[in-house]
Structures are given as structure tokens and as C-alpha cells.
Amino acid sequence: MAQPDSTYTNPKREFRGVWVHTIGQDYFASLTSEQVRDTLCRQLDLFQELGFNTLLFQIRPEGDAFYKSDIEPWSRYLTGEQGKEPDDEYFDPMQFLIDECHSRCMEFHAWMNPYRANINKANPLAWGHIYGEKRYMFVSYGQMLLWNPGVPESREFICKVVKDVVTRYDVDAIHFDDYFYPYPIRGLKFPDEQTFRRYGHEQGFSFNEKDDWRRHNVDLLIHELHDTIRSVKPWVRFGISPFGIYRNKSRHENGSDTNGLSCYDDLYADVLLWIRNGWIDYCVPQLYWPDGHKNADYTTLLKWWSKYTLAPCKLYVGQDVSRTYQQMNRKMTLARETRNVEGNCFFSGKMIIENLGGIQDSLRAYQSKPALLPEYGNIDTEKPKAPQNLRLAICHKDSVRTNLVLNWDMEPDSTMNEKNEVRFYAVYVFDDGEDINLENTNALVTFTTNKEYEFPNPDSYICKYMVVTSVDRMHNESLPAFIQYDPERVAIPELEIPELKKGEPTEP
């Protein structure tokens, strides 16, 4: 990726994601539905203020749901008991988050764990859970209950869940993290020998090829999920956040110069195959180690993923706040300066909310201007139509000029497909005589879902150009529409803000 012009402090396009996990906490369970709404809104307000443009929210932590589902039970992490409904029967947390994200010009990525059914078998499963009906689909490992990746019906069920979400909700992406086959437990073999004998041999795998068979099982799932998502809504992306080491050089000549667990050899996730075959749209390797780590150096891994992540798959970097907050400024700068890297994703939202190590100030400086997401040219490149009929007006109150109001229209386009549905608008300001260059992020003022924006101190905008573009759901940006504020040449309507009497409503 060509790096942004050094004239501008921020790239025009950059993935800025934040992971909000739900597993392993009981915070939401102690709140009413209304309190959950208020909490989520406050969190989103903070994320928006810090410059994030994507929320990755864990909606399926362990075979359950943070949304209304006829397939899986309500999550114990939402209500305290698996299968128990929220106290407000109309509350759907995922739908609420989608609406709130889109109103803030942010994307919503539905984060799911594919195989995990119960993180601790001591936790009771809800009545009607599919485990009670089809136990042959599951396998126990340590304290966990998992869908058995080697059973074909497991894949069918996971695809069914994903298809249901994509069909019924306006999600922007489906997102998986690093949990495929489980992380190995020392001294405990994964108990899939019988499954291998039943399915692996008939698929052509010999007795000494179990590792290849396991990778094949995960490959089939990823491929089928890609096809499932594309068949329903071609604009919905599919992203994976793998463990940060693909392979060590000690195991393969093209591996990284690292020494640790790897997603290929230990989790049976062949991420590079998925990238080469176009099965995933973006990859967010979890580079959670500090720069200078003796076994997994951040810079070494950053350069490795930059080399091996091939277009059209996008490469974003997974950052861990709790483990590397002291180096975060350096790590973010290295990511932005590295070829082929187009953004970051931060774990976790909780650490950011708690402002661990003053991370909020670092993010404000690093993400000081709003950014569009990178373009997915393999999915869609068509630009939406530009806004029309730009007009200006001056607001007065008590004979004092207050705001310069810019309005515009967006006419319906009957030829537009859903990929090009306008989601929000970008507002820029350029000086008289300055080129209207949409790559100039210094000129970018804001994103808004409204067809209106108010500029304070009207006199400071005399002779400047106000520019508006429309942005569709794929973050394609229209051609600019513009108007100059020149009250000496063009009469500008003046609007008097009426003084409210005590007790009058503030809105009509």
C-alpha cells in the first residue's frame, strides 16, 4: 500500500478497530436492559471520540447469542443464565449495537467463536441446547466442550448460525478470532481418534496424516463460510484474527524467525491458504508481543505478515493494550509505516475504557482525524452519487451571528444496488484557491449521517469552500459537491433562533 503523503498527519483510509469481548465476565448480567443500552452508548461515544471506525463485538462467545436467535440460547454473559431472556423482551443487543454504530458512522463486525460450546463444563447448558439432541457433534477437552471440527454436521451447524445472522442483521462483517482447534493442554491429547478413523480415512488421509486432516477440516469450514456469506449478502466481509505466529522457521523455511506456538502446527489453521484462495477479506494477526521479545519480536512478525498477506486480503494488526501499552506509540507508528499494513485493531475495549497506561491520549494523537475504511475493490468499486443542492444559511441569536449552516440533498437512486447504499457523508473545508483534494485529511472536518452540518464562527469561513461527499456501505466515496461561502457575492439567508420561553420544548 502506498503510504499517505507526509503532508497529512493521518491516512485517509485506515482500519481502526476495537474488540469488545463478552466471554468470562458477568458485568452485563448485573444490569437491566436499559442499563446495558446506556453502558453501550457511553462506550461507543468514547470509541468514536478516540477515532475508531469499527466495533468488533463478541456476539457468540460459546455457542450462545447476544441477539435473538431461534437456533442458539441467550448468552449467560448477558443475563447470568444461559437461555434466560433479557428483562426487556424487545431488547436485542446486536440490533441495538448495529443501529448505534451506524448512527456514529462506524462499522459493526459480528465476532463469533466457531467451535467453543462451553468454556467450563461445570456451567449448565440451557434446556433445548443442541448438545442434548446431538452429542455426537461435540467433544470434551480439558474443561471445555467443543463442536468437533472433524464431524461434517458441525460445519453445517456453524454455517447455519452464520447464515442466520447475515440474513437477519445488517452486519458489516463476520469475524473469527484465533480459536480453531483448541490451544494444546500439556500432557492431554485432543480426543478425535475415533472421528479420524470414521471420516479421515474415507477422505483419503493415512494414519500419519492426522494433522493434515485437522487442517483440512478447518479449511472446509472457512471455505464454506465464505461461500455462505457471499451467497446471502456479497458485501458482508469475512475476517480472521489468527494467532500471531503462522509457523516458526524451525518448522518451515518460509516461517518467521520466532520460537513459539503456531496457528498452522498447533491450532491447525492454515491462514495463508485462506488468503491465497480469497476465502477471507481481511486478516488481523494478533501481534500481542512487545518489540524486542526474544521469542516473538513484534517488528519481525510485522514484516513477516506484511510479506505474506497477499491482495486482495487486507492486513490489519492486532494490538494488545494490557501487554504492550508502554510501547503502543512505537508499535502503532511501526504499523503505519510498514508496507501493506492498513490499520490496527485493539484488545481490549475494556482496557481502553479503563484508560490503562493513558492509552486514550495515545489514541487521540494517533487517530486525530476520522478515517474511511480501506477499499475492498474485489467486492465493489462503484462510487455512490454525490450530494446535491448545497446551500448555506446564517443563524442569528439576539442579533449575534452564531453558526454557519450547511445543508444538502441526496436524491434516491433507483439504479443503486445495496452495496452502494449511502451510509454517511464526509464534510471538508478548503481555502480559496486551494485544490479540492479529498486525500487532504487536514481539510476533513467530520463524518455525519445528517444532511446538515453547522460551522461555528461564520466569519472565519468567509471565501472558503465547503465540500461534501457521500460514502456507501463499502466506504466508496462519491465525487465532491461544493459551495463557497462568499456573502459579498451571494446573498446568504439568515435564520433567527427564537428565544425559548420557560417551559417551552427545545424541539418542535
Side-chain angles (χ1 to χ4, degrees):
M1 180 189 77
Q3 295 301 307
D5 191 317
S6 59
T7 304
Y8 312 134
T9 57
N10 283 275
K12 173 65 179 289
R13 294 181 178 272
E14 188 171 56
F15 183 91
R16 298 173 179 176
V18 54
W19 279 295
V20 173
H21 71 286
T22 56
I23 196 167
Q25 53 77 36
D26 58 2
Y27 177 72
F28 291 114
S30 65
L31 304 177
T32 66
S33 295
E34 190 58 36
Q35 289 171 330
V36 172
R37 290 187 186 95
D38 291 343
T39 297
L40 293 174
C41 280
R42 287 196 303 272
Q43 292 177 355
L44 288 174
D45 286 343
L46 175 63
F47 295 149
Q48 182 185 29
E49 189 249 317
L50 296 176
F52 288 103
N53 56 26
T54 305
L55 175 72
L56 301 93
F57 190 90
Q58 194 173 33
I59 65 159
R60 187 182 188 253
E62 51 172 13
D64 50 9
F66 264 70
Y67 60 97
K68 292 183 178 180
S69 172
D70 294 330
I71 302 173
E72 296 189 300
W74 284 102
S75 175
R76 73 178 84 254
Y77 302 113
L78 176 65
T79 63
E81 177 185 339
Q82 191 178 80
K84 180 181 177 182
E85 297 182 355
D87 63 329
D88 180 349
E89 63 176 314
Y90 298 106
F91 181 43
D92 185 326
M94 180 161 67
Q95 184 60 59
F96 178 78
L97 280 167
I98 291 170
D99 293 340
E100 291 296 322
C101 283
H102 290 169
S103 72
R104 291 169 175 80
C105 308
M106 297 171 64
E107 286 206 335
F108 179 87
H109 291 206
W111 172 14
M112 302 182 179
N113 183 275
Y115 296 123
R116 187 170 55 216
N118 201 335
I119 196 171
N120 186 342
K121 289 182 292 186
N123 295 327
L125 297 176
W127 182 88
H129 191 286
I130 193 173
Y131 175 72
E133 179 186 352
K134 298 185 177 182
R135 296 195 175 194
Y136 61 87
M137 292 169 55
F138 296 86
V139 60
S140 294
Y141 185 58
Q143 294 300 311
M144 294 184 294
L145 181 69
L146 306 161
W147 269 271
N148 190 335
V151 176
E153 202 169 343
S154 293
R155 293 196 306 274
E156 295 173 10
F157 183 83
I158 296 165
C159 287
K160 178 181 178 181
V161 171
V162 170
K163 183 175 183 178
D164 175 61
V165 168
V166 174
T167 300
R168 294 193 297 119
Y169 292 91
D170 190 16
V171 298
D172 298 291
I174 296 296
H175 180 84
F176 284 0
D177 53 14
D178 53 320
Y179 292 97
F180 294 100
Y181 274 81
Y183 280 76
I185 300 173
R186 185 183 296 272
L188 186 63
K189 292 183 178 180
F190 187 72
D192 61 350
E193 183 61 32
Q194 289 186 349
T195 310
F196 179 53
R197 289 178 180 275
R198 178 176 180 183
Y199 296 105
H201 295 171
E202 70 182 31
Q203 292 169 346
F205 291 91
S206 63
F207 284 100
N208 62 349
E209 293 178 321
K210 183 188 283 189
D211 288 358
D212 293 329
W213 171 73
R214 287 174 175 171
R215 277 185 287 272
H216 177 68
N217 293 329
V218 183
D219 293 342
L220 286 174
L221 175 67
I222 299 302
H223 190 187
E224 290 171 12
L225 283 170
H226 167 272
D227 290 351
T228 296
I229 294 167
R230 286 288 195 271
S231 70
V232 180
K233 292 178 181 176
W235 60 86
V236 172
R237 278 140 285 148
F238 185 23
I240 301 286
S241 176
F243 185 73
I245 299 174
Y246 173 71
R247 297 196 83 179
N248 297 292
K249 186 173 288 187
S250 60
R251 298 292 297 269
H252 192 274
E253 61 181 356
N254 291 332
S256 55
D257 191 11
T258 51
N259 182 23
L261 180 142
S262 75
C263 53
Y264 181 93
D265 294 299
D266 299 295
L267 305 180
Y268 308 102
D270 191 353
V271 185
L272 293 194
L273 176 70
W274 311 341
I275 291 172
R276 288 195 302 269
N277 289 346
W279 296 342
I280 61 175
D281 299 299
Y282 68 82
C283 180
V284 195
Q286 296 174 14
L287 306 190
Y288 288 174
W289 302 274
D291 204 33
H293 192 283
K294 66 176 182 178
N295 292 324
D297 173 61
Y298 172 78
T299 298
T300 298
L301 285 164
L302 184 68
K303 291 179 178 178
W304 189 93
W305 284 100
S306 170
K307 178 179 179 180
Y308 287 98
T309 304
L310 306 176
C313 184
K314 302 295 183 183
L315 173 61
Y316 312 133
V317 177
Q319 306 281 9
D320 187 295
V321 174
S322 63
R323 284 201 264 177
T324 59
Y325 66 87
Q326 294 174 318
Q327 287 191 356
M328 196 55 71
N329 288 335
R330 171 172 169 75
K331 290 184 70 180
M332 291 189 295
T333 300
L334 284 170
R336 190 173 277 177
E337 292 175 349
T338 300
R339 180 190 65 84
N340 207 33
V341 175
E342 299 187 65
N344 296 278
C345 194
F346 294 85
F347 185 84
S348 69
K350 182 177 184 291
M351 296 295 100
I352 292 172
I353 292 165
E354 294 176 357
N355 198 24
L356 181 64
I359 185 65
Q360 292 181 13
D361 289 338
S362 296
L363 291 168
R364 285 189 185 93
Y366 186 79
Q367 302 176 163
S368 59
K369 284 283 188 177
L372 297 177
L373 266 71
E375 295 172 296
Y376 287 84
N378 61 311
I379 299 177
D380 182 65
T381 59
E382 185 177 352
K383 294 178 181 293
K385 288 194 172 182
Q388 298 177 329
N389 192 25
L390 272 64
R391 51 203 182 273
L392 293 166
I394 292 288
C395 287
H396 284 257
K397 185 174 183 180
D398 298 331
S399 300
V400 176
R401 292 184 170 196
T402 57
N403 294 330
L404 177 65
V405 182
L406 173 64
N407 292 92
W408 58 89
D409 298 324
M410 192 72 210
E411 293 187 3
D413 184 358
S414 60
T415 65
M416 178 185 70
N417 60 48
E418 290 188 78
K419 284 184 288 191
N420 300 114
E421 176 186 327
V422 173
R423 274 287 173 80
F424 57 90
Y425 304 92
V427 180
Y428 305 77
V429 173
F430 293 91
D431 290 330
D432 188 22
E434 183 182 9
D435 289 340
I436 296 179
N437 176 9
L438 299 183
E439 297 302 311
N440 182 355
T441 54
N442 293 328
L444 180 59
V445 177
T446 192
F447 297 143
T448 177
T449 57
N450 299 320
K451 299 184 185 71
E452 175 183 283
Y453 187 74
E454 295 189 13
F455 299 90
N457 305 316
D459 289 346
S460 63
Y461 292 94
I462 291 176
C463 292
K464 294 190 175 184
Y465 283 88
M466 284 67 183
V467 174
V468 184
T469 61
S470 57
V471 180
D472 66 18
R473 66 164 70 243
M474 293 303 302
H475 284 237
N476 296 313
E477 187 175 21
S478 75
L479 295 173
F482 57 88
I483 188 171
Q484 187 179 31
Y485 175 46
D486 189 347
E488 293 187 1
R489 297 176 57 191
V490 180
I492 306 297
E494 298 190 357
L495 306 174
E496 185 71 26
I497 301 177
E499 183 176 351
L500 292 176
K501 295 180 182 179
K502 190 174 181 179
E504 280 189 311
T506 58
E507 295 183 2

